[in-house]
Amino acid sequence: MTIHNREIADLLHRMADLLDIDGADAFRIRAYRQAAQTVGGLSESLADRVQAGADLTELPHVGERMAEKIKRIVETGRLDQLDRLEEDLPAELSELMQISGLGPKRVKALHQDLGVDNAADLKRALEAHRVQDVSGFGKKTEQTLSERLADREQHEKRTPLMEAEEIAAPLARYLEDIDGVRALTIAGSYRRRKETVGDLDILVTAEDDSPVMDAFVDYEEVGEVVSHGDTRATVMLRSGMQVDLRLLPQAAYGAALHYFTGSKAHNIAVRRMGVERGLKINEYGVFRDDERISGGSEQDVYDAVGLPFIEPELREDRGEIDAAEAGRLPRLIALSDINGDLHSHTDATDGNESLEAMAEAAAARGYAYLAITDHSRHVTVANGLDPERLAEQLDEVDRLNDRLDGRIRLLKGIELDILEDGSLDLPDEILSRLDLRVCSVHYKFDLSREKQTERILKAMDNRHFNILAHPSGRLINERPPYDLDLERVIEGAVERGCHLELNAQPWRLDLNDADSRMAKQMGAKIAISTDAHSGANFDYMRFGIFQARRGWLEPDDVLNTRSLDELQALLKR
DNA sequence: GCCGTTTTCGGCCCGACTGTTTTCAGTCG
């Protein structure tokens, strides 16, 4: 069984945590954490790289010794040094470190003084009020730990971006209405448009006498006030979302915006460039010899280190700094570049609205074209179309196109099922009458990596195959991606003149950011599609755009930025 | 443990808040 990058990253993270608890050198610990981050963010399989004899030291934060360890992990599934650490420190201690308020020192104290090795032990120790007697702990700490532990049990997942927006928008409106509040930005992964958000980091500037800090903790949705100072406060909302508010001087707003937008790895890289130039960069500004020289805008920060502005979606330390230095930052795609939608359903199958209503909704968004891609017959639960019903729909599309009089052009399409043997579930005769065919895996998610890959590649051999829909099949927080050699699938798509979808449904966002970027680099074209089941669903497009931007996509990488003529040329194979 | 057109040794981001201290350690972001 080949080991996944995620598992390698987990081992390295656990190594870092146990070293931390063991009191090892802080920079050695960080080296493991950085290497784990590199491994976790990689799209192509490290196991495959190792087998191909690739030089792993080319990866950021991976040196000779780390490369050797990763090789050993790939070969044996284990890490000797970690095994040795685990003789004295239970692996579960690493999980205790995830609990907010517990770091390496306290975890070690709990382990040594109370024999607490995991969350269940901790819960018992807290209930017996034995924690407050451990040196460095007290009654208050015991209380907060009890709350955090209970909280964690009911809410441990990151929040999808769309939900985060629904929580953030009313809070932002509430804060903006407080006396004296001037500027407000939600920073952090929210601003980087990451597919899920851990917590909200809100930055405000305000008049000196503004009651914003007090008003924040009084917000009606606040469940618990975690901390409450003059310039910084943290609350837990009743939804389970943690929110940090920071009050900043106007002059420092740009520097703070940069600092709190992150990512942490990006910030460290920028600060290091600052240090090389004799500058200190923190959330209050850019300093030379303790003298503040700028920091009112984010551009000030980038100016200080000689870089052009880097869009928040790119700030993940995935090469954006090198690209900025070389003047090769992408011109990221924007919502306004989108010219149509290539995946939508009507009430003929599992959509909620008529063909005409969908056409009108798409036209209202200024689109030049909309592909109607109802389900095919294999998806019986969705009342999938057989050849006869599809033929009827095609006639209806013709009639409607006439009535629409050029306001928008409906494309004849279908969402085909890729069957287990790699065939498509409608005959070629009817498929040849269509403008495009979107093809999906909707069942048999548990095939082996080899079989799933072959299944899709075989389907692409059919010359009617145009776009592979939601290529990984994952549902955020609900269903992991099926096992697939995505690199081979992309390669196969490029060879055959097929394309891949970035499905914009907020719970799919599939392809993800890293995979979108890999597809781009391999020369694939991507359709950003909403998979709309109602007219309102066309608004999901913005989430697809966010993910695409995080994947470094430019208008030229995307199918549905094209004019109708260009699109039709690209769909020919 | 990583990294390097100043360096193969000696650096590695840094400030706010809390609770337990009695001047500061631990944690977080």
Side-chain angles (χ1 to χ4, degrees):
Chain A
M1 197 201 85
T2 52
I3 190 161
H4 293 298
N5 292 354
R6 179 79 263 141
E7 298 168 296
I8 300 172
D10 284 347
L11 277 176
L12 296 179
H13 266 304
R14 196 152 87 224
M15 183 75 190
D17 284 348
L18 293 189
L19 280 173
D20 210 349
I21 294 165
D22 201 35
D25 174 70
F27 297 108
R28 189 168 155 232
I29 295 162
R30 198 168 78 191
Y32 277 97
R33 296 227 161 92
Q34 287 175 320
Q37 204 206 337
T38 296
V39 170
L42 233 46
S43 353
E44 64 271 62
S45 158
L46 256 188
D48 290 351
R49 272 211 197 188
V50 167
Q51 258 147 26
D55 179 12
L56 301 184
T57 62
E58 284 171 5
L59 297 170
H61 309 301
V62 176
E64 295 288 337
R65 307 173 69 168
M66 196 64 75
E68 195 52 41
K69 290 188 169 73
I70 293 172
K71 256 178 81 179
R72 294 279 299 153
I73 294 174
V74 168
E75 286 161 1
T76 66
R78 317 190 58 84
L79 180 58
D80 296 342
Q81 289 87 341
L82 181 58
D83 289 344
R84 244 172 280 141
L85 269 175
E86 287 181 1
E87 285 170 17
D88 295 321
L89 297 169
E92 293 168 305
L93 292 182
S94 167
E95 289 157 36
L96 280 181
M97 293 252 303
Q98 307 304 315
I99 296 168
S100 151
L102 285 185
K105 302 291 194 298
R106 285 175 169 176
V107 167
K108 186 176 189 182
L110 289 172
H111 168 64
Q112 288 186 334
D113 291 9
L114 299 179
V116 166
D117 290 347
N118 52 44
D121 290 348
L122 177 60
K123 194 174 179 184
R124 277 191 293 275
L126 286 166
E127 280 164 0
H129 298 294
R130 294 194 292 139
V131 172
Q132 54 182 279
D133 298 328
V134 179
S135 165
F137 292 78
K139 273 197 160 66
K140 183 81 188 198
T141 307
E142 189 175 271
Q143 177 67 24
T144 38
L145 279 178
S146 298
E147 287 163 12
R148 303 274 162 79
L149 198 59
D151 207 57
R152 203 176 87 104
E153 280 170 8
Q154 57 173 257
H155 197 274
E156 52 190 8
K157 285 171 176 166
R158 290 172 62 88
T159 309
L161 182 58
M162 182 172 69
E163 269 178 59
E165 284 192 346
E166 288 163 1
I167 293 167
L171 173 55
R173 279 197 300 274
Y174 167 81
L175 290 172
E176 279 167 341
D177 279 347
I178 310 260
D179 281 346
V181 170
R182 293 200 195 112
L184 179 148
T185 308
I186 306 173
S189 54
Y190 184 93
R191 185 163 178 247
R192 301 200 310 278
R193 299 332 226 149
K194 208 170 164 180
E195 61 190 31
T196 61
V197 173
D199 56 17
L200 296 173
D201 298 304
I202 304 183
L203 307 185
V204 295
T205 59
E207 318 276 345
D208 285 345
D209 56 353
S210 172
V212 62
M213 296 309 295
D214 292 334
F216 172 60
V217 300
D218 285 341
Y219 180 56
E220 62 173 355
E221 290 296 320
V222 168
E224 181 201 352
V225 179
V226 179
S227 72
H228 180 191
D230 291 338
T231 61
R232 175 178 170 175
T234 300
V235 302
M236 196 69 79
L237 298 182
R238 293 208 289 265
S239 61
M241 177 75 88
Q242 179 175 309
V243 186
D244 291 346
L245 182 73
R246 315 215 179 212
L247 178 60
L248 302 151
Q250 184 71 48
Y253 196 59
L257 199 51
H258 183 260
Y259 183 91
F260 291 112
T261 296
S263 67
K264 191 172 176 178
H266 173 89
N267 286 352
I268 289 174
V270 170
R271 282 173 176 225
R272 186 170 295 138
M273 291 183 74
V275 170
E276 284 165 14
R277 289 166 172 72
L279 301 171
K280 185 177 71 170
I281 299 170
N282 61 26
E283 62 263 55
Y284 295 112
V286 179
F287 298 83
R288 184 186 298 282
D289 303 327
D290 291 334
E291 186 199 350
R292 190 169 177 291
I293 56 175
S294 71
S297 72
E298 278 194 314
Q299 187 65 58
D300 287 347
V301 175
Y302 289 112
D303 283 345
V305 295
L307 293 178
F309 184 82
I310 299 176
E311 298 286 353
E313 291 94 332
L314 297 179
R315 300 181 195 170
E316 298 289 347
D317 196 23
R318 294 178 184 163
E320 72 277 11
I321 290 180
D322 287 347
E325 272 186 310
R328 277 200 282 273
L329 283 172
R331 196 297 245 168
L332 294 181
I333 186 169
L335 190 56
S336 56
D337 292 316
I338 293 296
N339 218 9
D341 205 319
L342 298 180
H343 187 165
S344 70
H345 297 268
T346 74
D347 56 10
T349 60
D350 63 351
N352 299 321
E353 292 175 24
S354 69
L355 189 60
E356 182 161 10
M358 294 299 282
E360 290 296 343
R365 282 159 180 79
Y367 289 161
Y369 46 83
L370 167 69
I372 301 296
T373 58
D374 268 314
H375 285 290
S376 54
R377 63 183 168 194
H378 185 265
V379 191
T380 49
V381 287
N383 191 24
L385 302 178
D386 58 22
E388 292 69 34
R389 288 177 60 220
L390 177 54
E392 285 168 27
Q393 190 183 60
L394 299 186
D395 292 340
E396 198 188 341
V397 168
D398 280 335
R399 287 194 296 272
L400 188 51
N401 266 331
D402 286 343
R403 283 214 302 284
L404 286 165
D405 198 26
R407 282 193 294 129
I408 186 170
R409 169 69 181 277
L410 294 181
L411 300 178
K412 296 169 181 168
I414 188 82
E415 180 179 7
L416 290 166
D417 255 46
I418 301 173
L419 301 178
E420 188 181 356
D421 66 358
S423 59
L424 303 175
D425 77 326
L426 286 178
D428 288 352
E429 300 81 73
I430 187 85
L431 296 185
S432 63
R433 294 180 55 194
L434 302 175
D435 295 308
L436 85 163
R437 307 99 195 149
V438 171
C439 303
S440 306
V441 169
H442 281 137
Y443 73 110
K444 282 281 178 187
F445 295 131
D446 58 351
L447 295 184
S448 71
R449 182 182 179 87
E450 187 62 25
K451 281 187 175 157
Q452 199 69 276
T453 306
E454 287 304 324
R455 172 190 190 179
I456 293 172
L457 287 173
K458 172 147 182 286
M460 285 181 178
D461 284 338
N462 185 317
R463 64 185 186 84
H464 295 302
F465 190 122
N466 295 120
I467 298 171
L468 176 61
H470 39 71
S472 87
R474 67 94 178 251
L475 298 175
I476 292 171
N477 282 349
E478 280 177 34
R479 186 172 73 206
Y482 38 72
D483 205 0
L484 187 69
D485 187 341
L486 186 63
E487 223 174 327
R488 272 184 68 203
V489 168
I490 295 170
E491 198 176 55
V494 172
E495 284 168 3
R496 293 165 175 81
C498 300
H499 313 285
L500 289 94
E501 180 181 271
L502 195 176
N503 190 293
Q505 290 188 342
W507 54 91
R508 285 194 185 271
L509 297 174
D510 177 14
L511 298 170
N512 69 20
D513 49 5
D515 290 339
S516 296
R517 188 169 173 203
M518 175 167 73
K520 169 201 173 104
Q521 285 168 341
M522 292 176 69
K525 296 283 181 236
I526 292 175
I528 307 177
S529 305
T530 62
D531 199 351
H533 285 64
S534 72
N537 285 170
F538 287 129
D539 289 340
Y540 290 155
M541 186 60 79
R542 48 194 294 275
F543 294 99
I545 294 291
F546 296 149
Q547 188 80 306
R549 288 168 65 87
R550 291 179 54 80
W552 293 52
L553 298 193
E554 303 181 75
D556 194 47
D557 300 314
V558 175
L559 280 179
N560 46 321
T561 57
R562 310 305 173 109
S563 70
L564 182 57
D565 286 346
E566 289 171 335
L567 172 68
Q568 285 173 324
L570 281 166
L571 289 172
K572 282 221 175 68
R573 21 180 322 201

